[in-house]
Every structure is written in structure tokens, then in C-alpha cells.
């Protein structure tokens, strides 16, 4: 698992990156001769993948924590601005031609990257489950409007359709993912713009009777930034085919602007809806604010948005499994992720209360992703995004083997950030011992700052840019 790596590829298809053709490459480096596309492609990727109803739910949650319309809107915008950081991290894919969780071997070591990679796979699958469930509930509601309701069969059929739409695109691979995100974005953008036009005029912009306090502000920030942070292990997956001449400025602006526009627009829609309706069931609450003729279209939007987001997380999870040592092609590995997503979605739909599960999941998400992202981004800055691409795949024979495959600085920083996040996390599943002394504030987001600072302190003398 940790020796010299030769990533598997589908026989006879190596080098193919065409729409509706199974992608031949996995985590193996993309040769310069097969690089194509431009930074503008990232706008549509991140714009489309963020047109998900989850952001509407997040905006509504901010209001439920006691924030006013304008306060919650400010938090939504702040969350959207983080898209520029995620997009900038994609430069590592341009430089190396491989996936983010291969590049993170430089920060954690080949073996040290394995547990972090496993945690990231688990949490990314969890986010795929969240979006799958949202899409399933929307399709189930659509079937109910057609007169088919009652019993588990409509919900089971809705889940099967949602999973099939997601799996088909992700299975084909990179080119099809890019194509689907662009064309679905055209349709979803028009529909969600109409949604915003319907719910925004009725928003109650008056301040709440009581201030939200530290707890309300911090929980809103955690929920709003959980989504963007969940993308940190992914950006290179979608830039590894771009030519090496692609600039950091072009990457940052194209992808960042795409993520900002869609996430902020939908977050504000959720904020506006929450000031007018009970959003315990966010789909039903929003639907009640819309004219009858638009409600079926709204449910289609929710389904489409869940699929666009799940596509990229499911696709990246297949690369992640290759990083963990699964000796299969990317296309075969994705079957594992799809099966786990299906099982988790069944549990969320038939065994637990979904709203409670969603809130708990989003609140805990940051404990893993924030510290990991802090180390990865700090390491990337220390190296000025220069890597020994061959060494990333060379196992114990490469420069990133460190001490028996472990990089003490990166792992110590990760553990420090996760410890801080756990101590200051306030969720339904876990409340850290420092939350009460902090006045109820959830400071788990700062786990990224802690891990980044510790990594810089420990690694600044040994981690340097590669010589030209």
C-alpha cells in the first residue's frame, strides 16, 4: 500500500477525458500532452455544484440561532467569500496533475496521510448523504403532488432515482462532471433566481427582540462555513487537467466567483424564507411561500441541486479511495462510495430524524475539515505550491516518506487543531468543555487557525519551496 505507486486505469482508456466516456485516469499524474481546458471552466463547476438547497437550509438555520435578516445575510456572505480560498487551492492540481489527497502526502507523509484521508472520505460521504436525502425528499414530495403518497415505496423510488442520476455522471468521470455541472447550472440558476424573487420581497428585515449572543453568532458561522470547508480536499481533483500555464489569479477569480454567487444567493433565500415561515422542514416551509404553479418546479430545483453537489463529492471520493490504497480503477472504486452513500441515505430517511441529523452533522463537520484544511493550506503556502510530483507517488522511495512514512510536524498540527476544535465545539452530539466558559460560543472554526499556526512553527525550517 505504501510502496511505489502505479495508479490503476481502465484498460484501453488511459488518457481519455471525454464527455460520456469513462475516464481512464485516476490519481496518476495527468501528462502535459493531455492537459486541456481553462480557468473559466472552474466558474461553472463551482457555480453549479453550489446551487444546492443545502445553502437555503443553512441560511434558515442562521435565523433559527437568533440572527436577524441582515446579520444572517452578513454571515452568508462571509461563508461565500471562503470560496476564493478553496479555488486558489486548486493551483496545487495544476502544478502536480494529481488529486488533492495525493498532494496532502507532502504535509502529512505517505502513511500519515492515510488516517486523515480516511476521515476526509467518511465526512465527504456524509455530505453526499445529506444532499442525497434532500433530493430524495423533494422528489418524494413531487410524487405526492401527483397523488402517490403513503408507505415506504415512493420514498424508496425517489432515493433510487436520485442515486442513479448522481452515480451515472460521477462514474463517467471528469469531463462528464464538468459538462453536467455547466448545463445543469444554466437551468438551476434560472429556477433559483425565480425562487429568490418570490421569497425575498416578503422577508422580515426587522431586528429580533433579543441579541443572538456569542452562541448564535458562532453556530451560524460554523454551519455556513462547513460547506466550503468540506471542499478543501477536492479542488485539485478538478484542476489537474488544466495546462501548467494556468495562473493562480485566473483560478482564484473564476472558481471563487462561481462559488460565491450561487452560495450567497441561495443562503439569502433561506434567510428570507426563515423570517416568514416555519423552516423545521425546509423544503415544505419554502414551498409554502411559492405560488402553486411554481411548486413542482421548485421541487425539481431541489432535486437538481442535490445532484449537482453530490456528483463532485462522489467523484472525489473515488479518487480518495485510490489514495487509501484500493487497487481498483477510479470507475470501480466509485461503486464502494455509491454503496455506502445508499446505505447511509436509507438510514437517514427511514431510521432517524433528518433535521436533527443534519444539524448535528454540519456542526461536527468542522472538527475534521477545519484543522485538516489549515495544515494543508499552510503547507501549500510554505512550499509556494511547488511539489516533487514524482515523489508524491513514490512511497517509501520518495521525499515525502519522512520518518517511516509519517511527517511529525503535519500530524502534530492536525491533532492540535482537532483537539482545539473538539474542546470548543457545540453540537447536538458533542459539547466541548470550553463552550460554557466561553459564554456558549462555538470556536471550532479556529481549529484551522490553530493547526495552520502549529504547522508553520514546526515545519518552517524544513518545508521550503523546491529550487527552480
Amino acid at each position: 500500500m505504501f510502496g511505489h505507486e502505479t495508479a490503476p486505469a481502465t484498460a484501453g482508456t488511459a488518457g481519455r477525458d471525454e464527455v460520456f466516456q469513462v475516464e481512464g485516469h485516476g490519481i496518476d499524474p495527468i501528462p502535459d500532452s493531455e492537459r486541456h481546458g481553462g480557468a473559466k471552466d472552474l466558474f461553472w463547476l463551482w457555480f453549479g455544484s453550489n446551487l444546492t438547497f443545502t445553502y437555503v437550509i443553512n441560511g434558515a438555520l442562521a435565523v433559527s440561532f437568533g440572527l436577524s435578516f441582515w446579520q444572517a445575510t452578513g454571515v452568508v456572505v462571509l461563508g461565500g467569500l471562503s470560496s476564493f480560498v478553496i479555488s486558489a487551492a486548486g493551483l496545487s492540481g495544476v502544478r502536480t496533475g494529481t488529486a488533492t489527497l495525493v498532494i496532502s502526502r507532502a504535509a502529512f507523509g505517505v502513511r500519515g496521510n492515510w488516517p486523515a484521508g480516511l476521515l476526509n472520505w467518511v465526512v465527504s460521504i456524509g455530505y453526499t448523504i445529506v444532499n442525497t436525502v434532500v433530493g430524495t425528499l423533494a422528489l418524494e414530495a413531487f410524487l405526492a403532488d401527483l397523488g402517490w403518497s403513503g408507505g415506504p415505496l415512493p420514498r424508496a423510488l425517489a432515493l433510487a432515482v436520485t442515486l442513479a442520476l448522481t452515480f451515472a455522471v460521477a462514474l463517467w468521470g471528469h469531463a462528464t462532471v464538468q459538462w453536467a455541472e455547466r448545463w445543469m447550472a444554466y437551468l438551476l440558476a434560472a429556477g433559483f433566481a425565480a425562487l429568490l424573487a418570490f421569497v425575498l420581497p416578503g422577508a422580515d428585515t426587522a431586528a429580533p427582540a433579543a441579541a443572538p449572543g456569542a452562541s448564535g453568532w458562532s453556530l451560524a458561522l460554523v454551519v455556513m462555513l462547513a460547506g466550503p470547508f468540506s471542499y478543501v480536499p477536492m479542488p485539485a481533483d478538478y484542476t489537474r487537467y488544466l495546462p501548467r500555464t494556468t495562473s493562480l489569479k485566473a483560478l482564484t477569480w473564476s472558481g471563487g466567483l462561481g462559488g460565491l454567487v450561487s452560495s450567497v444567493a441561495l443562503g439569502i433565500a433561506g434567510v428570507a424564507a426563515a423570517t416568514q415561515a416555519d423552516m423545521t422542514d425546509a423544503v415544505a416551509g419554502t414551498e409554502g411561500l411559492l405560488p402553486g404553479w411554481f411548486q413542482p418546479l421548485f421541487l425539481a430545483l431541489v432535486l437538481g441541486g442535490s445532484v449537482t453537489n453530490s456528483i463532485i463529492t462522489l467523484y472525489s471520493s473515488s479518487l480518495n479511495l485510490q489514495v487509501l490504497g484500493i487497487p481498483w480503477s477510479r470507475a470501480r472504486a466509485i461503486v464502494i462510495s455509491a454503496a455506502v452513500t445508499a446505505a447511509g441515505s436509507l438510514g437517514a430517511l427511514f431510521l432517524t430524524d433528518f433535521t436533527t441529523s443534519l444539524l448535528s452533522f454540519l456542526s461536527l463537520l468542522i472538527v475534521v475539515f477545519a484543522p485538516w484544511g489549515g495544515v494543508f493550506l499552510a503547507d501549500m503556502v510554505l512550499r509556494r505550491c511547488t511539489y516533487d510530483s514524482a515523489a508524491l507517488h513514490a512511497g517509501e522511495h520518495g521525499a515525502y516518506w519522512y520518518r517511516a512514512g509519517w511527517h511529525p510536524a503535519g500530524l502534530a498540527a492536525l491533532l492540535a487543531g482537532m483537539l482545539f476544535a473538539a474542546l470548543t465545539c457545540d453540537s447536538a452530539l458533542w459539547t466541548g468543555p470550553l463552550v460554557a466558559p466561553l459564554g456558549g460560543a462555538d470556536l471550532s472554526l479556529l481549529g484551522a487557525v490553530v493547526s495552520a499556526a502549529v504547522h508553520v512553527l514546526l515545519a518552517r525550517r524544513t518545508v521550503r519551496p523546491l529550487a527552480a
Side-chain angles (χ1 to χ4, degrees):
M1 180 181 295
F2 300 114
H4 184 77
E5 171 186 296
T6 301
T10 304
T13 61
R16 176 180 292 172
D17 186 40
E18 301 173 6
V19 177
F20 303 133
Q21 299 291 332
V22 176
E23 178 189 3
H25 285 294
I27 60 173
D28 51 307
I30 308 300
D32 288 346
S33 61
E34 297 174 25
R35 303 287 190 98
H36 60 88
K40 64 181 182 299
D41 297 331
L42 296 179
F43 174 88
W44 294 109
L45 175 80
W46 294 115
F47 180 74
S49 63
N50 281 288
L51 285 171
T52 169
F53 193 74
T54 303
Y55 284 107
V56 176
I57 299 175
N58 292 351
L61 286 172
V63 175
S64 74
F65 295 142
L67 274 65
S68 69
F69 174 86
W70 293 113
Q71 290 168 338
T73 296
V75 174
V76 167
V77 173
L78 183 60
L81 289 172
S82 64
S83 298
F84 289 96
V85 177
I86 306 302
S87 188
L91 182 62
S92 59
V94 174
R95 295 279 178 83
T96 63
T98 192
T100 304
L101 283 170
V102 174
I103 300 165
S104 62
R105 290 169 175 169
F108 301 104
V110 176
R111 283 178 169 157
N113 190 59
W114 199 94
L118 178 61
L119 283 174
N120 275 311
W121 180 79
V122 170
V123 180
S124 65
I125 288 296
Y127 219 83
T128 306
I129 291 170
V130 168
N131 282 289
T132 299
V133 170
V134 171
T136 299
L137 294 176
L139 184 53
E140 181 187 26
F142 180 78
L143 294 175
D145 290 344
L146 295 178
W148 188 17
S149 61
L153 190 55
R155 177 168 290 189
L157 176 62
L159 174 60
V161 171
T162 304
L163 286 171
L165 291 172
T166 304
F167 177 72
V169 175
L171 175 65
W172 273 316
H174 176 266
T176 310
V177 168
Q178 296 269 18
W179 179 89
E181 293 291 347
R182 175 187 289 267
W183 285 99
M184 291 180 74
Y186 293 155
L187 299 174
L188 292 174
F192 277 120
L195 170 68
L196 188 61
F198 286 130
V199 300
L200 192 58
D204 180 4
T205 58
S215 177
W217 279 106
S218 60
L219 284 172
L221 281 168
V222 166
V223 168
M224 211 63 62
L225 287 169
F229 264 100
S230 72
Y231 292 134
V232 175
M234 301 181 195
D237 302 359
Y238 302 100
T239 59
R240 70 194 204 281
Y241 278 94
L242 293 178
R244 292 182 187 273
T245 54
T246 307
S247 71
L248 173 61
K249 181 179 179 180
L251 280 176
T252 303
W253 277 102
S254 294
L257 192 60
L260 172 72
V261 172
S262 51
S263 64
V264 168
L266 295 191
I268 292 175
V271 172
T275 66
Q276 306 169 66
D278 179 5
M279 295 289 282
T280 304
D281 182 340
V283 173
T286 306
E287 188 178 14
L289 299 173
L290 304 172
W293 65 267
F294 188 74
Q295 290 177 5
L297 294 176
F298 163 69
L299 295 174
L301 290 174
V302 177
L303 172 61
S306 72
V307 169
T308 61
N309 192 266
S310 294
I311 284 170
I312 69 165
T313 54
L314 191 61
Y315 173 79
S316 288
S317 74
S318 65
L319 299 175
N320 195 336
L321 286 174
Q322 286 191 318
V323 174
L324 295 176
I326 299 295
W328 292 354
S329 68
R330 181 208 59 81
R332 290 180 63 194
I334 204 170
V335 176
I336 299 176
S337 295
V340 175
T341 298
S345 300
L346 283 169
L349 287 164
F350 293 99
L351 300 178
T352 64
D353 176 75
F354 174 62
T355 303
T356 300
S357 300
L358 173 66
L359 178 58
S360 301
F361 176 75
L362 290 176
S363 298
L364 283 177
L365 188 68
I366 213 74
V367 174
V368 177
F369 274 118
W372 187 93
V375 176
F376 176 75
L377 294 173
D379 191 78
M380 190 175 73
V381 171
L382 285 174
R383 298 178 191 277
R384 296 181 186 173
C385 207
T386 58
Y387 300 90
D388 183 338
S389 297
L392 290 171
H393 300 270
E396 60 187 294
H397 305 292
Y400 303 122
W401 188 247
Y402 300 113
R403 297 183 183 177
W406 306 81
H407 189 200
L411 292 170
L414 175 64
L415 291 175
M418 290 182 67
L419 177 62
F420 179 88
L423 291 174
T424 59
C425 175
D426 183 15
S427 75
L429 296 179
W430 167 258
T431 300
L434 297 183
V435 172
L438 291 169
D442 183 333
L443 301 182
S444 55
L445 272 174
L446 295 180
V449 178
V450 171
S451 63
V454 171
H455 186 63
V456 169
L457 287 173
L458 296 178
R460 68 185 187 280
R461 294 180 181 176
T462 56
V463 173
R464 293 188 176 91
L466 288 180

